[in-house]
Amino acid sequence: MAEEEKVEEKKSGGGGLLPLLTLVLVAVSIGVSAFSMITVMSLKSGLTEMVQQDNTPEGIPGEVDVNDIDTFTFTENFIFRFKDAENPKVTNTVVMDISVGILTTEDTAEDASTLKALMTSKEGIIRDGLESMMTSENYEEFLTTDGLDGIKTKVIEYLQGRLVSDLIIDVYFTNKVTSSS
């Protein structure tokens, strides 16, 4: 009988270790999960803040003061002609002036001046590239705000790549006239 009591004690003593071990593991899991959530939330808020600050090209502040923008205006207006898709006898025409916004802060003034001089000396080459790019667009794109915004983005990317400058920050379409004949 004494042996049976010892076996019973061993069984009940060994059984207490398993629930304790389970409890410790659950507590560790909860702690690791909480730490992970806090870390992920911190990273997420940090990334969100970085994205909000970094929506503009490198080195350009989120809000550019109008006094920090100089413009280069092409000497002649642009004329784009498009054949009408539905009626080949009809020609759609877009006439507009195009200006380029150049970031000209205290830090970038010298580079901006050099960029404007380059654009002036290479205006014919730049103009030819823009005309080729713009006439590959659809006439309808010139009629909507969203379409013009898309074209502006393409023009900015083209000019930044062609002139190797991130100081080009905007494009302005002015005196736009559209007609069909």
Side-chain angles (χ1 to χ4, degrees):
M1 258 251 216
E3 277 186 40
E4 286 179 16
E5 287 178 11
K6 286 182 183 178
V7 171
E8 287 286 325
E9 284 178 19
K10 284 184 183 178
K11 284 184 184 175
S12 64
L17 184 61
L18 185 59
L20 181 61
L21 184 59
T22 304
L23 184 62
V24 169
L25 287 175
V26 168
V28 168
S29 280
I30 291 172
V32 168
S33 296
F35 177 75
S36 296
M37 281 182 40
I38 291 169
T39 303
V40 168
M41 296 304 282
S42 297
L43 286 174
K44 182 180 176 190
S45 67
L47 287 173
T48 301
E49 189 175 308
M50 283 174 50
V51 166
Q52 287 172 347
Q53 291 174 353
D54 206 25
N55 273 340
T56 55
E58 191 172 311
I60 299 174
E63 292 292 322
V64 177
D65 189 286
V66 73
N67 295 319
D68 292 337
I69 301 173
D70 197 5
T71 56
F72 169 83
T73 303
F74 288 91
T75 54
E76 295 179 27
N77 58 12
F78 285 78
I79 302 171
F80 308 111
R81 290 186 175 81
F82 304 89
K83 288 290 181 193
D84 193 276
E86 295 175 13
N87 185 354
K89 293 182 180 181
V90 174
T91 300
N92 299 309
T93 306
V94 177
V95 179
M96 67 172 67
D97 292 327
I98 298 178
S99 299
V100 178
I102 301 171
L103 182 66
T104 311
T105 63
E106 208 173 280
D107 297 336
T108 65
E110 189 176 327
D111 291 339
S113 179
T114 302
L115 178 60
K116 277 187 77 171
L118 176 65
M119 290 181 77
T120 300
S121 70
K122 303 294 182 185
E123 182 176 348
I125 297 168
I126 297 166
R127 183 180 186 83
D128 182 63
L130 286 176
E131 287 175 348
S132 294
M133 185 185 71
M134 301 280 261
T135 55
S136 70
E137 297 296 323
N138 294 322
Y139 172 70
E140 290 74 22
E141 296 296 312
F142 289 90
L143 302 177
T144 65
T145 303
D146 288 342
L148 281 174
D149 287 344
I151 293 170
K152 283 183 179 187
T153 300
K154 289 177 185 177
V155 169
I156 291 169
E157 289 171 356
Y158 170 80
L159 291 173
Q160 287 176 338
R162 191 75 180 182
L163 297 168
V164 191
S165 177
D166 61 352
L167 295 180
I168 297 169
I169 59 172
D170 210 350
V171 173
Y172 312 104
F173 297 149
T174 56
N175 302 321
K176 182 180 74 126
V177 177
T178 58
S179 68
S180 297
S181 57

